[in-house]
Amino acid sequence: MDLKDKNEILGALQERVVKRKAMFIPLLFVSTFGLVGYVAMDKEAPTIDANKIEVLYGTELDETMFDIEDNRDSLDDIEVTIDDSTFDADQLGTYSVEVTAADTFSNTYTKTVEVEVVDKTAPILSSTGDGYAIEVAVDGSEDITNYITATDNVDGDVTTFIETDKNLDTSKLGTQTIAVTVSDNSGNTTTQTYEFSITDNEAPTVSFNEGSTVTIDYDSSFDYTDYVTVKDNYDDDVDVSVDGSIDTKSDETQTLTITATDSSNNSSTETLKVKVEDLTAPTIKLSKTSVTITAGSSFTASKYLTSATDTKDGDLTDEVEIDSNVKTSTAGTYTVTYSVSDEAGNKTSKTLKVTVKKKTTSSSSSSSSSSSSSSSGSLSSASYSSVVAAAKSRLGCSYKWEASGPTTFDCSGLAMWCYAQVGISIPHSSSAIKSAGTVISLSQLKAGDIVWRSGHVGIYVGSGLVIHAPGTGKVVCYTSVSGFTCGVRF
């Protein structure tokens, strides 16, 4: 053995002594042959018994996982090198890992071990409630994942994989018990039972239809439900209490306090202010809506005023103002306007139509009129015959709306034209004709009278026949009197 070999042996022995701290051999007294004999005592390398191991997801590798043993050294004294360059603890799968073990005498063993990263941890369920009791609003979402979530150490959020043994029903109050299960992609499963308490914590709403302050008419009926709407998220029948009352004859602003309470004892309160004002105009009543007088006659507009009253101010008849432009000396149609205002400034008006007809000048007509006024009106027999003749002369003329001759007519225009031929002025309106003349029954008709039904007039010519202007696209022609309801005599 040469000097170099001796030095190497001596160095190894010194390192062994330092590590073990068990041998204190005076180096000056160890012979060269003794040293050689001691070193030869351990030539056996460590063993690595593991061929394939499993490690949990996220776990880093260390020497304790590979079942390493040595004939002399403990694992703490064995130098282990793990080549984890291809290993990923955060990725499931199987990896080939090279492991080298060297004992204190530099005996070395290397082995490739299959390392499988596995997931054996089940997902974790978390709820929005306190522990396993979850409060849910009535009629709230029935999606269980709005209240419970699931996370997994590998797959992350696995809430969408949640399954339940029954559906959540939020349509009625009460408690429901539901078993919730979730699994990850590795088949690890967690099951937990939760209690869902369906509750109503939402108060009814008291809303105003026209604002929190309303104005009502003096002496009118008042019902708060016309101005307030009460609704609840769950109850159809809500208990409503009203504190206060409204006097509709008081000019002061009054207050109602409205409280709505549902079956879960949730309540809300609103205040409605009510102002009472005189909003309605007075009412004027006339004894007639239209009158007909003969030119030269006297006319007093006030005699047709019956009354004027107001809900608050009472009788205002003496306050009525009358605007009349009636000229009794001139035939025509005039309007008298009656107006009155109450103290609140509400104003109303009503009109009276006054028809002034021409005065008959012929002596024969006057004589006939005076002798038979109760049955024949103011026209003479000759005048009636002239009206009939005028009507017959227009047979075949075209109908035209609002036309009054001489070649086109509407129904009242034809009657007006025929009567104008004998000097009588009548209104150009079927309703006004009825109001201006004397209404008679059909059994009292004589040739020359006007026949009337709602919206239409004609000239009665005898023998049950009427000449009229029937309508657009037609001409003046005969028709039966049976279609009319009464007669009108002038």
Side-chain angles (χ1 to χ4, degrees), residues 191-422:
T191 298
Q192 183 61 57
T193 299
Y194 291 90
E195 241 184 35
F196 290 84
S197 177
I198 314 303
T199 58
D200 178 15
N201 295 322
E202 186 175 341
T205 59
V206 180
S207 58
F208 300 113
N209 302 339
E210 301 176 12
S212 59
T213 301
V214 298
T215 301
I216 64 172
D217 197 8
Y218 180 86
D219 199 22
S220 63
S221 60
F222 176 80
D223 186 344
Y224 81 92
T225 60
D226 293 335
Y227 306 96
V228 174
T229 299
V230 176
K231 290 184 179 180
D232 186 66
N233 63 314
Y234 181 71
D235 293 330
D236 293 329
D237 186 16
V238 177
D239 180 42
V240 180
S241 63
V242 180
D243 183 15
S245 61
I246 301 300
D247 180 3
T248 61
K249 291 186 178 180
S250 172
D251 291 334
E252 295 181 357
T253 298
Q254 301 162 67
T255 299
L256 291 181
T257 300
I258 301 164
T259 301
T261 306
D262 63 17
S263 60
S264 297
N265 209 35
N266 302 303
S267 65
S268 59
T269 300
E270 295 290 347
T271 300
L272 177 68
K273 292 183 178 180
V274 181
K275 296 179 179 180
V276 179
E277 296 181 4
D278 184 6
L279 305 175
T280 303
T283 300
I284 295 175
K285 291 185 178 180
L286 302 179
S287 59
K288 290 186 177 182
T289 58
S290 63
V291 295
T292 301
I293 62 174
T294 303
S297 302
S298 62
F299 173 75
T300 305
S302 60
K303 78 174 187 177
Y304 298 100
L305 173 63
T306 301
S307 65
T309 56
D310 184 67
T311 53
K312 184 176 184 181
D313 300 333
D315 187 3
L316 298 177
T317 306
D318 292 341
E319 307 296 325
V320 174
E321 296 180 355
I322 302 174
D323 181 13
S324 174
N325 64 351
V326 176
K327 297 179 181 179
T328 58
S329 60
T330 305
T333 301
Y334 303 90
T335 300
V336 179
T337 301
Y338 302 80
S339 302
V340 69
S341 298
D342 60 19
E343 290 186 5
N346 302 303
K347 184 177 182 179
T348 190
S349 299
K350 209 155 192 179
T351 58
L352 172 69
K353 183 181 286 185
V354 180
T355 301
V356 179
K357 62 181 182 179
K358 291 181 179 179
K359 185 176 182 180
T360 305
T361 57
S362 64
S363 58
S364 60
S365 175
S366 298
S367 174
S368 173
S369 177
S370 61
S371 63
S372 58
S373 59
S374 62
S375 61
S376 302
S378 60
L379 292 179
S380 64
S381 296
S383 294
Y384 277 108
S385 297
S386 297
V387 170
V388 172
K392 289 180 178 181
S393 71
R394 299 298 97 186
L395 288 168
C397 289
S398 299
Y399 177 91
K400 184 178 180 181
W401 172 250
E402 294 187 342
S404 57
T407 58
T408 55
F409 304 88
D410 63 7
C411 66
S412 57
L414 176 63
M416 186 174 72
W417 185 86
C418 292
Y419 270 68
Q421 307 314 302
V422 297

Side-chain angles (χ1 to χ4, degrees), residues 122-123 150 152 155 158 161-163 181-190:
D152 185 66
D155 300 328
V158 290
F161 299 145
I162 287 177
E163 297 180 350
T181 301
V182 64
S183 300
D184 61 18
N185 287 322
S186 297
N188 303 302
T189 300
T190 298

Side-chain angles (χ1 to χ4, degrees), residues 425-446:
S425 175
I426 64 174
H428 192 176
S429 163
S430 59
S431 58
I433 287 174
K434 183 180 180 183
S435 297
T438 300
V439 178
I440 59 175
S441 65
L442 294 178
S443 63
Q444 294 175 295
L445 285 174
K446 62 183 296 182

Side-chain angles (χ1 to χ4, degrees), residues 155-177:
D155 300 328
D157 187 356
V158 290
T159 303
T160 55
F161 299 145
I162 287 177
E163 297 180 350
T164 60
D165 65 338
K166 64 174 69 71
N167 293 329
L168 176 63
D169 180 6
T170 64
S171 65
K172 54 185 179 294
L173 301 177
T175 301
Q176 301 169 42
T177 301

